[in-house]
Amino acid sequence: MKHFLIPLTLLVAAPFARAQAPVKIEITCNDEMKYNTKGFEVEVGQKVTLVFKNVGKIPVAKMAHNLVILKPGNELLAFAAKCGDPKTGHLPADAEMKKQIFAHTKHLGGGESQTLYFIPKEPGAYPFICTTPGHFTMMQGVMTVKAKPAP
């Protein structure tokens, strides 16, 4: 009977072989109140770098956009209705509504960008919107977080 020696480094590295590579997502918006995408997919536990760019020309004081990602199961219309106050950055003021937010950018004017870093921990459909009053009807999409594939 032959015996095979498996190098220790292979045994130690094996559990990490299926680790997801970090992913970079770029979402743009413009002066026509549109995102360049209606959705994207990532996996649970994956390191996500999301770059949000306003490729428009209008300054923030006249046409501001943001990207707010909600946790799964939240109603967009009810959330958007609580986002009218510019003093709060067009985000809800009450604690219960704030708990619905998974991640968000600030409002950006033409030519501005912001980068978010996160690791989703639960699978599901995470809706995203612009919370500037009236924008969410045209500016929305879904981040789909898939469960990790079985080893």
Side-chain angles (χ1 to χ4, degrees):
M1 170 185 261
K2 288 188 174 184
H3 294 282
F4 295 97
L5 295 175
I6 300 173
L8 183 58
T9 54
L10 289 179
L11 291 174
V12 172
F16 303 102
R18 292 198 54 97
Q20 305 97 326
V23 64
K24 183 176 180 180
I25 307 291
E26 183 176 295
I27 297 179
T28 63
C29 64
N30 59 35
D31 294 336
E32 288 79 41
M33 297 190 329
K34 293 182 182 176
Y35 290 133
N36 68 320
T37 186
K38 293 288 184 187
F40 62 96
E41 292 183 356
V42 296
E43 290 183 1
V44 168
Q46 191 168 34
K47 291 180 182 177
V48 178
T49 300
L50 190 151
V51 179
F52 180 59
K53 294 181 180 179
N54 184 338
V55 297
K57 304 285 186 226
I58 301 174
V60 70
K62 293 189 179 203
M63 179 67 78
H65 300 301
N66 66 354
L67 183 86
V68 178
I69 303 172
L70 301 178
K71 295 174 183 173
N74 290 297
E75 174 58 43
L76 284 182
L77 187 57
F79 183 84
K82 298 284 188 172
C83 295
D85 190 352
K87 293 178 197 162
T88 63
H90 295 292
L91 294 173
D94 68 84
E96 283 306 306
M97 293 303 276
K98 285 181 182 181
K99 288 180 186 177
Q100 295 181 16
I101 300 171
F102 175 74
H104 70 88
T105 66
K106 64 181 182 177
H107 275 90
L108 305 175
E112 297 179 320
S113 67
Q114 184 178 351
T115 302
L116 300 176
Y117 303 93
F118 55 85
I119 300 173
K121 300 195 183 328
E122 299 291 329
Y126 292 66
F128 60 85
I129 62 170
C130 177
T131 60
T132 301
H135 291 203
F136 83 95
T137 57
M138 295 176 63
M139 298 182 75
Q140 58 181 276
V142 177
M143 173 180 77
T144 302
V145 178
K146 293 183 164 191
K148 287 183 186 179

